[in-house]
């Protein structure tokens, strides 16, 4: 990674944070919880930039401009809202599940090979 890429990434992140701070308070609270949730269950591509997070802010800005409360935009089940956003994305949970399956299959193969 080049230094210039790191600097550009920091500038992009600061601009992103400024957009969040410009949202109404209820939107900021829900956004921060969404961000935490996505960083934990995360779509893998979230580490490649802030596109998804930026899209959420776009949606929130539109909702706020229309005078809607944040839960009118997301629905009352915020986790379902998040899961719907990432339903077609590969997540860290998917990668972990795949690795567990591979390890179990390897272990079972060793056991069955020894019994033959």
């Amino acid at each position: 990674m080049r230094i210039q890429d790191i600097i550009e990434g920091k500038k992009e992140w600061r601009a992103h944070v400024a957009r969040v701070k410009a949202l109404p308070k209820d939107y900021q609270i829900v956004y921060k919880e969404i961000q935490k949730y996505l960083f934990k269950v995360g779509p893998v591509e979230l580490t490649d930039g802030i596109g998804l997070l930026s899209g959420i802010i776009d949606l929130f800005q539109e909702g706020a401009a229309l005078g809607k409360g944040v839960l009118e935009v997301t629905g009352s089940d915020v986790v379902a809202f998040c899961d719907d956003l990432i339903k077609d994305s590969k997540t860290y949970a998917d990668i972990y599940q795949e690795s567990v399956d591979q390890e179990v299959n390897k272990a079972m193969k060793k056991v069955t090979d020894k019994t033959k």
Side-chain angles (χ1 to χ4, degrees):
M1 180 172 249
R2 297 177 347 195
I3 297 274
Q4 189 167 354
D5 294 336
I6 294 169
I7 292 168
E8 284 302 313
K10 284 184 178 182
K11 284 181 186 174
E12 184 182 20
W13 184 252
R14 279 197 295 271
H16 178 80
V17 169
R19 288 181 68 203
V20 172
K21 288 181 179 176
L23 291 169
K25 195 69 177 161
D26 59 332
Y27 280 87
Q28 288 181 45
I29 291 166
V30 172
Y31 173 82
K32 286 176 184 167
E33 291 306 314
I34 288 173
Q35 181 181 308
K36 278 194 267 186
Y37 179 76
L38 292 177
F39 282 157
K40 282 184 182 167
V41 303
V44 177
E45 72 262 13
L46 200 59
T47 57
D48 296 336
I50 58 172
L52 176 63
L53 296 175
S54 189
I56 294 168
I57 293 175
D58 291 343
L59 180 66
F60 280 13
Q61 285 175 326
E62 288 174 28
L66 294 171
K68 292 182 177 182
V70 67
L71 295 180
E72 290 179 82
V73 175
T74 62
S76 59
D77 188 342
V78 178
V79 171
F81 171 80
C82 293
D83 288 345
D84 195 46
L85 288 175
I86 62 172
K87 70 178 184 274
D88 297 325
S89 302
K90 187 170 190 124
T91 64
Y92 289 109
D94 295 332
I95 292 170
Y96 184 66
Q97 288 167 353
E98 289 166 12
S99 73
V100 168
D101 287 342
Q102 287 170 0
E103 292 303 312
V104 167
N105 290 335
K106 272 193 240 175
M108 294 307 290
K109 187 170 176 14
K110 282 181 187 173
V111 169
T112 56
D113 286 348
K114 286 180 183 176
T115 59
K116 288 184 182 176

